[in-house]
Every structure is written in C-alpha cells, then in structure tokens.
Amino acid sequence: MMEPTLAVERGLPDAAVARSRAAHGRNVVAAEDSSGWRATAREVVTEPMFLLLLVACGLYFGLGHTAEGVTLVVALLAVAGISLYQSVRSNRALQALRELTQPRAQVWRSGELRAVPAADLVVGDAVLVEEGERIPADGRVDSANDFAVDEAILTGEAVPVAKAPADAVYAGTSAVSGSAWLTLTAVGGGTELGRIGGSLHAIATEKTPLQRQVSQFVRRMAWAGLGAFAVVWGVNYARTGDWATALLFGLTLAMSLLPEEIPVAFSSFMALGAARLSRAGVLTKQPQTVESLGSASVICVDKTGTITQAGMRVASLYDGATGALLPLPAALPPTAAAVLAYARWASETAPFDPMEKAIVAALAAHAPVLVAPDFPLVHEYPLAGTPPMMTHVRRTPAGPPAVAAKGAVEHVLAVCRGLDAGRAEQVRTVARQLSEQGLRVLGVAQAEALGEDFPANQDDFDWTFLGLVALENPPKDNAAAVLRAFGQAGIGVKMITGDFPATAQAIARQVGLPGADTLLTGPEVLALDEAALRQRVAGTAVFARMFPEAKLRVVNALKANGEVVAMTGDGVNDGPALKAAHIGVAMGRRGSEVARQAASLVLVDDNLGGMVTAVAQGRRIYQNLQKAISYIVAIHLPIVATVAVPLLAGWPLANLLGPVHVIFLELVMGPTCSIAFENEPAEAGQMHAPPRAPGAVFLGGWALGRSLLQGLGIGAGVLGVYYVAMRAGRPVAEMRTLVFATLVLSNLVLTLVNRSFSQSLWRTLAVPNRLLWLMLGLALALLLVSLWVPAAQTLFGFAPVPAAELGWCALAALLGAGALEPYKLLKKG
C-alpha cells in the first residue's frame, strides 16, 4: 500500500465529514428513493385487481348489499396487505444485496485508513485508489505511483491516461495501473459523470427472455379478461336489463381471468432466490440473473485462484549462469539468489498478487541477505506486451539504477538479444518441462540504466537473461469435484488462462477437465476468422496465453454458437469478457473492483463450487416458477368456467358465484404460488439434466397443454357438481356451498399435484415444505369457517350441507385435479 503524503495523511476528521456531507450531499449520482413506502403503495393501488375490487365495492354498496361491500373492503385491505408484504419482502432482500455489492473505498479519516462504502465519501476526503479499482468520485491527484486511468466511459478513448500530482480524475473511470492518493473535489450529482447524466442507475436493465415471456402472457390474459368481461356484462344485461348486477358479474369474470399473481410470483422468486444465493456466498447484481443461471451451457474458468489455490510457492529456480535447476528449499549460489532478487525487484513494493507474495517469501527464506536493501522505485513499466512482461527501475545505494524484469518466458527471451540461439532453446526446453509439471514459469532479466534517461519502451533496454522462477499453484481440493458436477449437469467447461500452454494443460489433466488435450493460444484465436473460430472453440477445452481481446473473441464465438456463457474473472483485463458473457462471475476476495462491477455474480470466497450452487439454485427457481405459473393457469380456468359456462349455456341457475367468492379464492391462490412454491426444495436429479435451451418457451407445448388439461379436469369436476346439484333441485345456497367447496378443495389437491411434474402425489407428500403445508392448512381452515360459522355462511350465501356431500366434493376435486396422476405413473414405468 502507498504511504499517505503529509497533506493526505491529515485527511478529514469525523466532524468535518458530517459538515461536508451536509454541504455537498452523498456520493450517489441518482437521487435515492426516499419514498419507498409511498411508491410501493402507489403500485399496489394501481394494480388491475385492486381497481376491479374497488369498482365491485362501489356496486355492492350502491345496490344496498352492505355486508358484501364491507367484505370486499376487507378483501381490498387483504390484497393490498399481501402485495405490500411481498414487495417489502422482496425489497428487503434486494436492499441487502445492494449493500453487499456496493463498492467500497479506502479513505484516510481521523488519522487512520478505513474502508467505507463509496456512497459515504465526501468532498475533501483523502482516498487511496489502486490498480483495478474504479475512481469513486471526482478528485485531484496528490501523489501517484505509475498511475494510469481508463477514461473511456467519459471520453470514448480506450488508451489509458497517465496521471501525475495535481491532475484531475473523474468518477466512473478505472485505475488500470499503479496507485494514487486523491483528494475528492466533487461527489454524487456534482461529478462530471453526474453532470452529463452518465449514471449507470439511469440505464434501464434489459429484460430477460423469461421476463418478456411472462409479461406477454399476462398481457394476453388481461386482454382475454377484458373481452370476457364485455361478453358476460352484455349477456347478463340482455337477459335481466339490470346494468348494475350485470356489471357486478362481469367484474366477477374479469377477476377470475386476471392472473395478477404471476408478476408478484416472478418478482418474489427472483428476489428471494438472490437472497438465498447471497447466504451461500454468491452475490447477484441483478435478481433476474438468477433465472438465467439455469440455462448456462458453458462456463469459462480462469486457472489461477479459481481452479488452483489462491496462494503460491516458489518450487524451483533455473540459474541461467550455470544452467542448473535448483528445487527449493536448497542452498542457493549467488547467481541463483540474484534470479530471485531481481524477480523481487521487478515486483510491486507492497505486493498484493499471490505470485509476487510467493517471490517475496522465497527471497526472505532462501536469500535473506538480499532482503535488507530497500531499493526505492524510480520508474515502472507496467505489465505490457503479448505475452506480457513488466519492468521496475530501482535506485541502488551506490552505482547506476538496477533494472529488473519478469514475465512470460517467450517475451523475456525475445528481449535478451545477446543470448545465443542454443542457450535460448535450452531455456525453452527447461521452461516446457517445468510447465508440463503444472508449474507457472517466469523469465527474469536484468539491465543497466545510464542516468535518468530511460527508454520509452521496456523492450529497448539492453537485457541480460538471469534465469527462471517456477511457482507451484496446486489445484484446489474441490476443483475436480466441481468440474465433475458441471459435466453431470450438461455444462461444458473451458479453461481460459494467461499461463503457459503446457502449465494450463497439466493443471487441466490434474483436475480431470474433459478435452484437456485440446488447446488454442491467444495468438491463434486472433488469427482465426469468425467461422473458423466458432468451429474451433466448440471442440477446445484449454485456452492458454490469452489476453483481453482473445478472451472476448472466445466468449463471443461461444455465444454465436448458441451457448449460454458464464465466465469467471478477477482482473481489469477480464472486464470486457465478463461484460460480454451472459453471466459474468467475479472473484470476491482477489477480484478487482472493475471485474466486480462488470460481472453479474460475485463469488464471495472465490470458491468455484459456489457456481455449482448458483446453477442448482437457478434451475430450482425456474422449475418452481414453472410449477407456480402452471398452477395459476390451471386454477383460473375452472373459476372462469364456473362463472361463464352456466351463463352462456343458459342454465336456470347462472351467476352462482360473485366477487366475494372469487376474491376469497384469489387470497388463497396468491400466497400459495408466491410463497409455498418458492419454498419448494429442488427435485432429485435436476443437476443431472442438461440445461434448458435458451430459446425455450416458458409455458408452451406440453407445459401449457398440461395446465390446460388440469384446468379442464378441475372445471369438469366443479361443473359436474354444479349440474348434478341443479338437476336434483337443490336450493341455490346449497348449490353454491357445494360448488365453492369443490373449487377450494380442487385448489388444495392441485397445489399438491403440481409440486412435481414427474413424481406422483404420494411421493411428494413426504417432501418437506413447511410453508406449503401452512398455506394449505390456512386455506382449509378458511373454507371450514365459511362453511360452518353462521355469520360467514350468511356473508357467502352458503347453507349447511351434510359432511357426506362434502366428501363427494372432495372426490370430485381429487378426480379433477389429479386426472394426470396416472400419466406420471405410466411415464415413470
């Protein structure tokens, strides 16, 4: 970490922070919504179901039906309460996720360095920004160490801009190299980004295919409801001449058709699914990402820190002066110690990269005499080239500055022009042998600088080859199991790494990556045309010596092949590919802020096993949402049939059910689909099935046909009870009681049936889901109250019926809702 300058070190005391915030506001570009409750309430009272209930209330009171009117007022409050509860529940889950994923900044306050949310920064704060982080607000550079910034978000210019003390920096730009202390000059809406309206909050999030399908389905149902409302109103009015009563029963049908539970269920499933993932160590930036996880067909994974362990260790050194390969620990001759020392001097002064930390530890353990000189950094050439190399120029106590470089063996050998071809080939052979053992190999070189006139390009020094450093980075204990889990789930795995090809393939073989013998390098990727690349990426598992442009081309080629691509990354250079992937996955511990902001998921503990959990959760959510919406479609059909068929068929006892009965059913159905089904555990075998096709219709084909058949079965059972009771000359109140009881009991059976599309009802009874049983118990209790409590009987227009007849209602419900159960058994057989 850079030491703060005297000016920066003073920073701001806590009292000054409060004054600055009062004067300039918080560091948020978009105005924060301070009226969450009002906005939610406004949303609830403008929902179609609420408005229909409001009209029905007015009609009941206008017709003098006070009890029914009061009941609908209570129902209005209940509908609003349920909607508010679901919204608050979802919003709390999303707010918790926003707080977890909010960028943080290092700030010097009251004499200490603190990590605070970026939104809490104020004008005058002293902020430390390091490579891979976003600039959190506008500011002025106080001190810098090889600090360069990508300002493309403001200027469109992709070339990094070097920054010196007194230079201005802007919110939203990214530090691509070095580090700097800044004094903030503007925050929030006062920043350049805020003034030009470039807030990311202002960008509308694109809807996922599932969201579009659900919205389209709800719109169609709403139009169908409007048409049915007009028909029923017209038929009733033509027969009775009473426009108010006709309107009341038209509203009944409209309410029975409107699937207002679907949007609530969708938002609840996404938000609560994201909250579940956060508890498992996977943070989602957008809740809708959760459902896309279930369709991931390819995952591109980094090697270092993702498949391999985060920590590294220097395993051996190759001494270029003697040609000796020395495994560590071992006594090091001066020439071998120099290899380690120059590798150290070519690293950051305060290393944060695991590889550089390993070099520092090895030097301290095996050549401690070389640790003592603290050579100040004079000039730095950041990691550059293809493949890359980095150079540091350090001041020595006596003599000219020491120039140290480390990087890819090919690059180092290319710049050591004095090395003869035979020696260079010998070095390549040793590097290849070390790589084939799964070791990461770096070349090390030295040069001399005359005075302070350094060349513009690091390659232009007069380099002398010193040797090789081989670092061990063994696979994580769970790496092989994680890759097997992806394979069993039908998800292809591609390893994309900047490492040496032999190293990448050696690690791939150790973890059992299918296709580990297939290889493409970054230069080969760039050399292929689009058609050839699409063909090659499909059959290649290992991509080595990759750089940003090559990673991006691979991701785009996979997408062009119709794959749903997830990609892991941690560095600044991974940003474009993470953004391009359908599901970008950043590492939480070692990932740069740029990578975390570009990604849609963050693995908090850098454990790739979290992706297996995330995919499983995505599939569970999609499957349960299918169950919930299938249930909604199926249960709405018999309600519509019960209202419409007797009227349109000219039955003498039409208009048996009114708004009060339909709203009772709505109050039962809403929590069932959005709470009970959301809590349903994953079905066995879902992670042994291939991912769903990205263009698959959510509720089409057999899925829709199954719902319609279920609805028709329940409708036949309910109308059968209706018709038999009517033909027997039963009083209207008794008929209404039997029909309503059959509908509610059918709802209970349908809920149990739809817990699985493959397992029979009897098998799913043993699957635990406390919330589902609570919802069913409440629905059954409400039915019994409405049937047996005199005041409720009067309100609903019911009459006492023998328990045996309720048994016939239960049988009709079981036969109607369970009509497809034999098909499940036959399919299993």
Side-chain angles (χ1 to χ4, degrees):
M1 184 190 76
M2 281 182 61
E3 293 297 323
T5 63
L6 288 177
V8 170
E9 188 172 5
R10 290 195 293 270
L12 288 179
D14 291 335
V17 170
R19 288 195 297 272
S20 181
R21 185 172 292 122
H24 302 283
R26 300 190 72 226
N27 187 35
V28 288
V29 178
E32 293 181 293
D33 184 10
S34 59
S35 59
W37 274 98
R38 288 198 297 273
T40 303
R42 191 184 315 117
E43 200 174 294
V44 168
V45 299
T46 55
E47 286 179 352
M49 181 60 72
F50 190 93
L51 296 176
L52 290 174
L53 279 171
L54 201 59
V55 174
C57 278
L59 284 171
Y60 269 132
F61 283 121
L63 294 170
H65 299 165
T66 306
E68 287 85 350
V70 170
T71 301
L72 283 197
V73 169
V74 173
L76 267 175
L77 297 175
V79 167
I82 290 171
S83 297
L84 283 171
Y85 169 74
Q86 291 291 75
S87 293
V88 169
R89 192 170 175 230
S90 299
N91 289 339
R92 281 180 179 168
L94 295 180
Q95 183 59 37
L97 287 172
R98 279 194 287 268
E99 290 173 1
L100 287 171
T101 57
Q102 184 183 38
R104 301 183 74 81
Q106 299 180 78
V107 59
W108 194 271
R109 287 181 182 168
S110 297
E112 64 178 3
L113 188 66
R114 303 175 184 173
V116 303
D120 291 344
L121 295 174
V122 299
V123 172
D125 261 332
V127 176
L128 174 62
V129 178
E130 297 178 308
E131 178 180 323
E133 296 180 349
R134 285 197 187 276
I135 310 298
D138 288 2
R140 180 188 66 250
V141 177
D142 286 308
S143 61
N145 177 16
D146 191 44
F147 188 53
V149 176
D150 178 359
E151 296 183 335
I153 191 172
L154 294 177
T155 66
E157 179 56 59
V159 178
V161 180
K163 297 289 182 179
D167 285 348
V169 291
Y170 303 101
T173 59
S174 306
V176 295
S177 68
S179 57
W181 279 96
L182 317 174
T183 295
L184 300 189
T185 56
V187 296
T191 63
E192 187 68 18
L193 186 66
R195 282 194 293 273
I196 66 174
S199 168
L200 294 177
H201 298 286
I203 300 174
T205 305
E206 185 181 352
K207 286 189 174 184
T208 65
L210 178 57
Q211 281 179 301
R212 289 194 291 270
Q213 287 181 33
V214 168
S215 298
Q216 185 181 51
F217 181 78
V218 171
R219 280 197 304 272
R220 287 175 177 172
M221 291 287 284
W223 281 110
L226 184 62
F229 160 74
V231 169
V232 170
W233 186 9
V235 171
N236 258 301
Y237 181 68
R239 290 183 179 174
T240 65
D242 185 344
W243 71 267
T245 303
L247 181 59
L248 195 61
F249 287 106
L251 290 174
T252 302
L253 186 63
M255 281 191 284
S256 67
L257 256 175
L258 191 67
E260 59 95 24
E261 306 94 345
I262 292 179
V264 175
F266 184 87
S267 59
S268 295
F269 273 54
M270 297 305 114
L272 297 177
R276 288 177 191 272
L277 281 178
S278 72
R279 292 193 289 272
V282 182
L283 302 182
T284 57
K285 306 292 285 300
Q286 295 290 341
Q288 57 266 31
T289 304
V290 174
E291 64 87 3
S292 63
L293 284 166
S295 60
S297 58
V298 170
I299 178 167
C300 302
V301 298
D302 187 22
K303 178 182 74 66
T304 305
T306 302
I307 289 179
T308 59
Q309 296 175 15
M312 301 184 77
R313 182 185 73 85
V314 176
S316 57
L317 295 174
Y318 173 74
D319 186 348
T322 64
L325 183 61
L326 305 170
L328 296 185
L332 299 180
T335 50
V339 176
L340 206 51
Y342 272 83
R344 164 65 187 106
W345 294 333
S347 303
E348 297 295 335
T349 303
F352 54 84
D353 183 89
M355 177 186 65
E356 294 188 342
K357 287 181 177 180
I359 291 170
V360 170
L363 184 65
H366 303 295
V369 69
L370 296 176
V371 176
D374 184 14
F375 296 169
L377 186 65
V378 177
H379 188 69
E380 179 177 15
Y381 296 87
L383 198 66
T386 306
M389 183 179 85
M390 66 185 297
T391 300
H392 284 171
V393 181
R394 294 186 178 272
R395 181 172 290 112
T396 58
V403 185
K406 73 176 192 304
V409 177
E410 306 97 302
H411 195 150
V412 171
L413 289 177
V415 298
C416 294
R417 299 174 185 87
L419 195 65
D420 64 70
R423 285 280 313 284
E425 187 55 37
Q426 181 185 359
V427 172
R428 291 190 186 95
T429 300
V430 172
R432 186 165 53 252
Q433 291 170 348
L434 292 169
S435 297
E436 288 170 352
Q437 298 171 31
L439 301 177
R440 182 169 188 179
V441 185
L442 297 175
V444 182
Q446 68 166 353
E448 290 188 0
L450 301 176
E452 301 291 326
D453 188 17
F454 308 126
N457 191 308
Q458 61 180 343
D459 293 3
D460 294 335
F461 282 102
D462 185 12
W463 291 106
T464 299
F465 180 75
L466 292 179
L468 304 175
V469 177
L471 297 106
E472 183 181 36
N473 185 210
K476 292 180 177 178
D477 294 338
N478 70 337
V482 168
L483 297 190
R484 278 198 305 274
F486 284 134
Q488 289 169 351
I491 301 173
V493 181
K494 313 285 186 184
M495 179 192 289
I496 300 183
T497 178
D499 219 335
F500 198 72
T503 304
Q505 287 189 299
I507 295 296
R509 293 186 187 102
Q510 289 178 35
V511 297
L513 177 66
D517 293 330
T518 57
L519 174 73
L520 269 178
T521 64
E524 289 172 338
V525 167
L526 291 187
L528 293 169
D529 61 37
E530 292 298 325
L533 181 60
R534 286 178 58 181
Q535 186 177 6
R536 292 289 301 276
V537 297
T540 302
V542 180
F543 297 81
R545 280 294 186 245
M546 297 291 284
F547 31 90
E549 300 89 341
K551 292 180 183 180
L552 185 58
R553 283 204 73 197
V554 168
V555 169
N556 286 333
L558 289 167
K559 288 169 65 178
N561 285 344
E563 305 284 2
V564 176
V565 183
M567 175 166 178
T568 69
D570 57 6
V572 177
N573 292 336
D574 293 321
L578 286 172
K579 199 75 175 175
H582 294 103
I583 307 163
V585 184
M587 300 297 115
R589 290 182 179 174
R590 61 186 177 85
S592 66
E593 185 60 37
V594 170
R596 288 195 293 269
Q597 291 301 309
S600 46
L601 292 180
V602 178
L603 300 181
V604 174
D605 57 0
D606 295 2
N607 182 1
L608 190 61
M611 270 301 290
V612 178
T613 303
V615 170
Q617 191 70 248
R619 292 188 178 187
R620 184 193 72 85
I621 288 169
Y622 185 87
Q623 194 176 67
N624 285 349
L625 189 58
Q626 268 193 320
K627 295 173 185 176
I629 296 183
S630 178
Y631 157 84
I632 293 168
V633 172
I635 198 60
H636 271 273
L637 279 178
I639 301 174
V640 172
T642 306
V643 174
V645 169
L647 176 69
L648 300 178
W651 289 9
L653 293 174
N655 297 332
L656 201 62
L657 300 182
V660 70
H661 305 100
V662 173
I663 198 59
F664 177 98
L665 293 165
E666 291 288 339
L667 292 175
V668 169
M669 291 187 297
T672 298
C673 69
S674 60
I675 297 176
F677 279 115
E678 192 282 328
N679 198 54
E680 192 68 14
E683 291 194 42
Q686 72 164 17
M687 285 300 284
H688 289 78
R692 71 178 188 271
V697 178
F698 179 71
L699 200 65
W702 168 238
L704 180 59
R706 178 181 52 221
S707 295
L708 294 176
L709 287 173
Q710 286 179 323
L712 291 173
I714 296 171
V718 173
L719 290 173
V721 169
Y722 195 155
Y723 186 77
V724 169
M726 183 178 65
R727 295 289 293 176
R730 302 294 293 272
V732 172
E734 290 184 10
M735 283 178 53
R736 184 179 291 118
T737 304
L738 294 172
V739 168
F740 187 77
T742 307
L743 264 173
V744 175
L745 292 172
S746 296
N747 173 74
L748 302 185
V749 176
L750 179 67
T751 305
L752 294 173
V753 165
N754 270 27
R755 293 186 71 189
S756 174
F757 296 140
S758 57
Q759 298 292 326
S760 70
L761 169 63
W762 316 115
R763 283 184 175 273
T764 58
L765 287 175
V767 177
N769 184 345
R770 288 190 304 159
L771 285 178
L772 179 134
W773 291 110
L774 176 62
M775 295 295 104
L776 295 183
L778 286 173
L780 185 58
L782 287 172
L783 173 63
L784 295 178
V785 166
S786 68
L787 294 179
W788 291 341
V789 174
Q793 281 182 351
T794 303
L795 177 64
F796 282 92
F798 292 161
V801 294
E805 295 194 3
L806 291 178
W808 285 109
C809 293
L811 180 60
L814 188 61
L815 292 174
L820 294 184
E821 284 300 287
Y823 172 76
K824 290 183 186 177
L825 295 173
L826 289 172
K827 193 177 177 183
K828 272 290 181 186

